[in-house]
Amino acid sequence: MNPIRPVLALALVLGATGIGAPAFAGGPPHANTQTAPGDDDLTPAERMAERFPQKVRVGDLVGLPLLDFDDRTLGFVTEVARTPEGGIVLVVPVGGWFGHGGRPVPVPLETVAILGRQIALLDIPRDDLPKLASWTPAAGQSVPPDDIIRIAITRR
């Protein structure tokens, strides 16, 4: 008996039943934490509300790595601050060596989600992060480490 015949028969059966086919004909499905093509009309705050925000102590966010979608470390959170408009930003140094040093930039809380002991950058492309304005302590007020805020959650 030819050893290729059983393999071809199995491939034919799986293809006919749809077991090996992708879930959607248009390509692989996206997770609920990624921006879908139809989500462009949502504001960052609305997108964050769809990501099931949970309470977290501010002091637990300081020191966590900020990762892009390819799990590359962009930097580590050095501060959580409140802007004059009332928004919350994570201050992350960008452009240093191995995630340390560099120029501090404010990353809006609505554009990130917590991923275990890491923070995932979801709504800002990696290339646009260095284009953000530099953060200065006069640009906002530091949030005390014992305060509780809400941050979106995600999974990979």
Side-chain angles (χ1 to χ4, degrees):
M1 182 172 173
N2 189 351
I4 296 177
R5 278 188 164 165
V7 174
L8 288 176
L10 180 63
L12 183 62
V13 169
L14 289 178
T17 60
I19 293 176
F24 297 101
H30 70 281
N32 65 342
T33 57
Q34 298 172 14
T35 304
D39 292 344
D40 292 337
D41 55 342
L42 296 178
T43 65
E46 292 171 337
R47 213 173 282 132
M48 179 183 168
E50 288 184 351
R51 294 179 178 140
F52 309 105
Q54 301 293 311
K55 294 179 182 178
V56 66
R57 192 175 143 276
V58 170
D60 293 335
L61 296 176
V62 175
L64 294 182
L66 180 69
L67 306 177
D68 67 357
F69 196 71
D70 294 325
D71 292 330
R72 294 179 289 188
T73 301
L74 304 171
F76 293 86
V77 177
T78 58
E79 178 184 5
V80 179
R82 191 174 306 276
T83 63
E85 297 83 24
I88 297 177
V89 295
L90 304 175
V91 180
V92 178
V94 174
W97 288 87
F98 303 107
H100 295 284
R103 181 178 58 90
V105 296
V107 179
L109 191 67
E110 294 85 14
T111 63
V112 300
I114 197 158
L115 177 67
R117 294 289 300 157
Q118 304 162 342
I119 298 176
L121 183 66
L122 299 176
D123 295 335
I124 299 176
R126 177 187 176 97
D127 297 336
D128 290 348
L129 197 60
K131 297 176 186 174
L132 294 175
S134 293
W135 177 259
T136 59
Q141 180 181 4
S142 184
V143 179
D146 289 331
D147 278 7
I148 303 292
I149 61 171
R150 296 176 72 85
I151 187 169
I153 58 174
T154 189
R155 63 186 173 93
R156 297 260 168 107

